[in-house]
Amino acid sequence: MTDSSTVIDSGSVEELVSRLVLLVAPQKNEHSEPEQRLISDLGYHSLALAELAFTLEDLFGLEPLPPEKAMSLESVGDVTGLIAAELDGGAGHLPNDDDIQLIFARYGVEWAPQAA
């Protein structure tokens, strides 16, 4: 069986990561802003942060972050910036649509990129 799923383009990474941050967040919001704080605005706690980290590591094929780097992530913008920097630095890979759909399906929603 051949994988015919398309890989997302690098321009979609910020949107994808922002939507994943909202999807995993204990306090649900419809819209994400880069300045939203993970803990105070979105209700993240240690278990939710771990879930987000594992999800992003799996989806983008990234190595786990050192604890000191993970502790410096405070906002949605910090997370999206980190993932973009890791990918720009040659770590990990861009996911394909099927892998993204599987992650979103875990939360009972579908991945549909916003129209440009």
Side-chain angles (χ1 to χ4, degrees), residues 75-103:
S75 68
V76 174
D78 291 343
V79 176
T80 59
L82 173 73
I83 299 300
E86 291 287 314
L87 293 172
D88 288 346
H93 57 78
L94 292 171
N96 64 45
D97 289 328
D98 289 343
D99 291 338
I100 297 168
Q101 288 295 356
L102 285 173
I103 296 289

Side-chain angles (χ1 to χ4, degrees), residues 14 17-19 21-22 32-38 42 74-81:
E14 183 176 340
V17 173
S18 294
R19 293 202 31 218
V21 170
L22 290 180
S32 171
E33 298 295 331
E35 62 276 355
Q36 282 178 310
R37 299 262 189 224
L38 297 174
L42 298 174
E74 296 181 0
S75 68
V76 174
D78 291 343
V79 176
T80 59

Side-chain angles (χ1 to χ4, degrees), residues 12 58 78:
S12 299
D58 287 348
D78 291 343

